Amino acid sequence: MTRVALISATPAAIAPAVTGLADVFPEAEPWNLLDDKLLADARTGGPSPRMSALIRYAVSSGADGVLLTCSLYGEAARSAGEGVPVLAPDDAAFAEVTTRGYRHVLVVASFDEALADSMARLKQAADGVYVSGAVSPDAFQVTDPEVLVRALRETCARHAPHVDAVLLAQYSLAPAARELAAGLGRPVISGPHTAAAHLKALLQGGRP
């Protein structure tokens, strides 16, 4: 079985990442590596050699691929150079924005740093797409699905009539994607499933 290391900065990101693999890439065996100091480092803008060390550890210990589940460490994935696929959590989601031709996308996060990072990288990845953002602080590390959906719906409701799609900036928000899309009447893009599909294609020799 293909072993995929999931490196997480918060426990709330683990279940969405595992679910994404189970739904899209069931041949993969998820291996969870959690370091709960990574998020604090990223939010203060400090460097974290531990993320690079975790990537190296995962690869040296037999991971066939690595998926980072914290959007604030996207650059660490791109600079890894470890000889196996190392994916940022949302690059595949950004590609979906471009592929589907959305012109105005609302990015939603549960704290300011994650929002700023995701918006900046989406603008780079999807040239010509108008990107706006919103913070839903009540959704920060929420594990109750109903509470999460309610918090995100309240944040997105006033923006929905003016956008083509919503992109959830964090894996911890992904469990609300389906119900949020139904409630808003807009497509909702989240990282876990798109990343799992991209990783599957890379590891099985197909096209992402």
Side-chain angles (χ1 to χ4, degrees):
M1 180 173 282
T2 302
R3 176 175 291 181
V4 175
L6 305 172
I7 302 180
S8 300
T10 171
I14 294 175
V18 171
T19 299
L21 285 177
D23 290 346
V24 179
F25 191 7
E27 304 91 335
E29 174 192 20
W31 172 26
N32 288 295
L33 299 173
L34 171 66
D35 184 338
D36 61 7
K37 289 295 289 180
L38 289 170
L39 184 58
D41 286 353
R43 293 188 68 174
T44 58
S48 180
R50 286 197 316 283
M51 176 56 86
S52 297
L54 283 166
I55 294 172
R56 290 194 300 271
Y57 170 73
V59 174
S60 67
S61 298
D64 299 297
V66 179
L67 174 60
L68 310 187
T69 71
C70 178
S71 62
L72 292 174
Y73 283 96
E75 289 302 321
R78 281 184 278 276
S79 61
E82 290 295 330
V84 304
V86 179
L87 269 61
D90 42 22
D91 282 349
F94 295 164
E96 184 171 337
V97 169
T98 302
T99 300
R100 294 185 177 274
Y102 298 131
R103 306 308 303 165
H104 186 172
V105 175
L106 174 69
V107 179
V108 183
S110 65
F111 60 94
D112 291 328
E113 294 86 353
L115 178 66
D117 177 80
S118 292
M119 287 183 64
R121 289 185 296 108
L122 176 57
K123 288 176 181 178
Q124 291 178 343
D127 187 38
V129 176
Y130 182 77
V131 180
S132 57
V135 173
S136 181
D138 291 340
F140 183 66
Q141 295 191 340
V142 171
T143 56
D144 185 308
E146 292 184 8
V147 175
L148 181 61
V149 171
R150 185 164 60 247
L152 291 174
R153 185 185 297 127
E154 290 173 358
T155 298
C156 296
R158 67 186 180 89
H159 300 276
H162 312 293
V163 302
D164 300 318
V166 174
L167 188 145
L168 301 178
Q170 296 149 257
Y171 274 36
S172 58
L173 307 181
R178 184 174 299 177
E179 288 190 44
L180 184 63
L184 296 176
R186 291 289 185 274
V188 175
I189 303 168
S190 63
H193 285 78
T194 54
H198 187 73
L199 194 56
K200 179 178 181 177
L202 291 174
L203 290 173
Q204 295 189 345
R207 296 183 61 185

